[in-house]
PDB file of all heavy atoms in Angstrom:
ATOM      1  N   SER A 773      56.249 123.802 -81.669  1.00 61.00           N
ATOM      2  CA  SER A 773      57.339 123.901 -80.709  1.00 61.00           C
ATOM      3  C   SER A 773      57.086 122.949 -79.562  1.00 61.00           C
ATOM      4  O   SER A 773      55.984 122.429 -79.376  1.00 61.00           O
ATOM      5  CB  SER A 773      57.447 125.329 -80.163  1.00 61.00           C
ATOM      6  OG  SER A 773      56.262 125.684 -79.478  1.00 61.00           O
ATOM      7  N   GLN A 774      58.130 122.709 -78.774  1.00 57.00           N
ATOM      8  CA  GLN A 774      57.991 121.897 -77.586  1.00 57.00           C
ATOM      9  C   GLN A 774      57.348 122.718 -76.482  1.00 57.00           C
ATOM     10  O   GLN A 774      57.523 123.929 -76.399  1.00 57.00           O
ATOM     11  CB  GLN A 774      59.354 121.373 -77.121  1.00 57.00           C
ATOM     12  CG  GLN A 774      59.955 120.336 -78.058  1.00 57.00           C
ATOM     13  CD  GLN A 774      61.229 119.741 -77.487  1.00 57.00           C
ATOM     14  OE1 GLN A 774      61.831 120.301 -76.594  1.00 57.00           O
ATOM     15  NE2 GLN A 774      61.615 118.602 -78.012  1.00 57.00           N
ATOM     16  N   LEU A 775      56.596 122.024 -75.611  1.00 56.00           N
ATOM     17  CA  LEU A 775      55.955 122.700 -74.499  1.00 56.00           C
ATOM     18  C   LEU A 775      57.013 123.148 -73.510  1.00 56.00           C
ATOM     19  O   LEU A 775      57.816 122.353 -73.029  1.00 56.00           O
ATOM     20  CB  LEU A 775      54.959 121.754 -73.829  1.00 56.00           C
ATOM     21  CG  LEU A 775      54.099 122.345 -72.720  1.00 56.00           C
ATOM     22  CD1 LEU A 775      53.263 123.492 -73.252  1.00 56.00           C
ATOM     23  CD2 LEU A 775      53.213 121.279 -72.109  1.00 56.00           C
ATOM     24  N   GLU A 776      57.036 124.456 -73.213  1.00 60.00           N
ATOM     25  CA  GLU A 776      58.022 124.980 -72.287  1.00 60.00           C
ATOM     26  C   GLU A 776      57.421 126.124 -71.486  1.00 60.00           C
ATOM     27  O   GLU A 776      56.349 126.633 -71.792  1.00 60.00           O
ATOM     28  CB  GLU A 776      59.280 125.442 -73.030  1.00 60.00           C
ATOM     29  CG  GLU A 776      59.000 126.440 -74.123  1.00 60.00           C
ATOM     30  CD  GLU A 776      60.230 126.794 -74.928  1.00 60.00           C
ATOM     31  OE1 GLU A 776      61.157 125.958 -74.992  1.00 60.00           O
ATOM     32  OE2 GLU A 776      60.280 127.902 -75.465  1.00 60.00           O
ATOM     33  N   ARG A 777      58.166 126.522 -70.443  1.00 55.00           N
ATOM     34  CA  ARG A 777      57.647 127.522 -69.518  1.00 55.00           C
ATOM     35  C   ARG A 777      57.362 128.855 -70.199  1.00 55.00           C
ATOM     36  O   ARG A 777      56.475 129.590 -69.794  1.00 55.00           O
ATOM     37  CB  ARG A 777      58.653 127.755 -68.379  1.00 55.00           C
ATOM     38  CG  ARG A 777      58.956 126.502 -67.564  1.00 55.00           C
ATOM     39  CD  ARG A 777      60.053 126.809 -66.556  1.00 55.00           C
ATOM     40  NE  ARG A 777      60.535 125.595 -65.904  1.00 55.00           N
ATOM     41  CZ  ARG A 777      61.559 125.579 -65.063  1.00 55.00           C
ATOM     42  NH1 ARG A 777      62.199 126.697 -64.786  1.00 55.00           N
ATOM     43  NH2 ARG A 777      61.932 124.449 -64.508  1.00 55.00           N
ATOM     44  N   SER A 778      58.133 129.176 -71.195  1.00 63.00           N
ATOM     45  CA  SER A 778      58.022 130.503 -71.815  1.00 63.00           C
ATOM     46  C   SER A 778      56.932 130.584 -72.873  1.00 63.00           C
ATOM     47  O   SER A 778      56.724 131.644 -73.444  1.00 63.00           O
ATOM     48  CB  SER A 778      59.362 130.882 -72.450  1.00 63.00           C
ATOM     49  OG  SER A 778      59.692 129.975 -73.482  1.00 63.00           O
ATOM     50  N   CYS A 779      56.238 129.484 -73.129  1.00 79.00           N
ATOM     51  CA  CYS A 779      55.224 129.504 -74.194  1.00 79.00           C
ATOM     52  C   CYS A 779      54.112 128.527 -73.845  1.00 79.00           C
ATOM     53  O   CYS A 779      54.157 127.359 -74.227  1.00 79.00           O
ATOM     54  CB  CYS A 779      55.862 129.154 -75.540  1.00 79.00           C
ATOM     55  SG  CYS A 779      54.724 129.277 -76.929  1.00 79.00           S
ATOM     56  N   ILE A 780      53.114 128.994 -73.092  1.00 88.00           N
ATOM     57  CA  ILE A 780      51.973 128.162 -72.701  1.00 88.00           C
ATOM     58  C   ILE A 780      50.817 128.503 -73.631  1.00 88.00           C
ATOM     59  O   ILE A 780      50.367 129.654 -73.668  1.00 88.00           O
ATOM     60  CB  ILE A 780      51.588 128.419 -71.232  1.00 88.00           C
ATOM     61  CG1 ILE A 780      52.786 128.124 -70.320  1.00 88.00           C
ATOM     62  CG2 ILE A 780      50.392 127.571 -70.829  1.00 88.00           C
ATOM     63  CD1 ILE A 780      52.563 128.492 -68.882  1.00 88.00           C
ATOM     64  N   PRO A 781      50.317 127.556 -74.421  1.00 90.00           N
ATOM     65  CA  PRO A 781      49.308 127.864 -75.441  1.00 90.00           C
ATOM     66  C   PRO A 781      48.013 128.390 -74.830  1.00 90.00           C
ATOM     67  O   PRO A 781      47.507 127.848 -73.844  1.00 90.00           O
ATOM     68  CB  PRO A 781      49.079 126.515 -76.138  1.00 90.00           C
ATOM     69  CG  PRO A 781      50.268 125.682 -75.785  1.00 90.00           C
ATOM     70  CD  PRO A 781      50.723 126.137 -74.441  1.00 90.00           C
ATOM     71  N   ALA A 782      47.461 129.415 -75.445  1.00 91.00           N
ATOM     72  CA  ALA A 782      46.197 129.984 -74.968  1.00 91.00           C
ATOM     73  C   ALA A 782      45.051 129.000 -75.140  1.00 91.00           C
ATOM     74  O   ALA A 782      44.062 129.051 -74.403  1.00 91.00           O
ATOM     75  CB  ALA A 782      45.891 131.273 -75.728  1.00 91.00           C
ATOM     76  N   LEU A 783      45.161 128.085 -76.096  1.00 93.00           N
ATOM     77  CA  LEU A 783      44.101 127.118 -76.342  1.00 93.00           C
ATOM     78  C   LEU A 783      43.792 126.283 -75.102  1.00 93.00           C
ATOM     79  O   LEU A 783      42.682 125.805 -74.917  1.00 93.00           O
ATOM     80  CB  LEU A 783      44.503 126.206 -77.509  1.00 93.00           C
ATOM     81  CG  LEU A 783      43.463 125.267 -78.087  1.00 93.00           C
ATOM     82  CD1 LEU A 783      43.715 125.054 -79.575  1.00 93.00           C
ATOM     83  CD2 LEU A 783      43.489 123.903 -77.400  1.00 93.00           C
ATOM     84  N   ALA A 784      44.776 126.123 -74.217  1.00 93.00           N
ATOM     85  CA  ALA A 784      44.595 125.287 -73.020  1.00 93.00           C
ATOM     86  C   ALA A 784      43.920 126.034 -71.889  1.00 93.00           C
ATOM     87  O   ALA A 784      43.629 125.440 -70.849  1.00 93.00           O
ATOM     88  CB  ALA A 784      45.950 124.760 -72.559  1.00 93.00           C
ATOM     89  N   CYS A 785      43.637 127.325 -72.053  1.00 94.00           N
ATOM     90  CA  CYS A 785      43.168 128.151 -70.939  1.00 94.00           C
ATOM     91  C   CYS A 785      41.907 127.581 -70.291  1.00 94.00           C
ATOM     92  O   CYS A 785      41.849 127.377 -69.077  1.00 94.00           O
ATOM     93  CB  CYS A 785      42.930 129.578 -71.426  1.00 94.00           C
ATOM     94  SG  CYS A 785      42.315 130.689 -70.152  1.00 94.00           S
TER      95      CYS A 785
END
Side-chain angles (χ1 to χ4, degrees):
S773 62
Q774 291 186 342
L775 186 60
E776 55 185 26
R777 300 175 189 175
S778 63
C779 184
I780 302 173
L783 190 149
C785 179

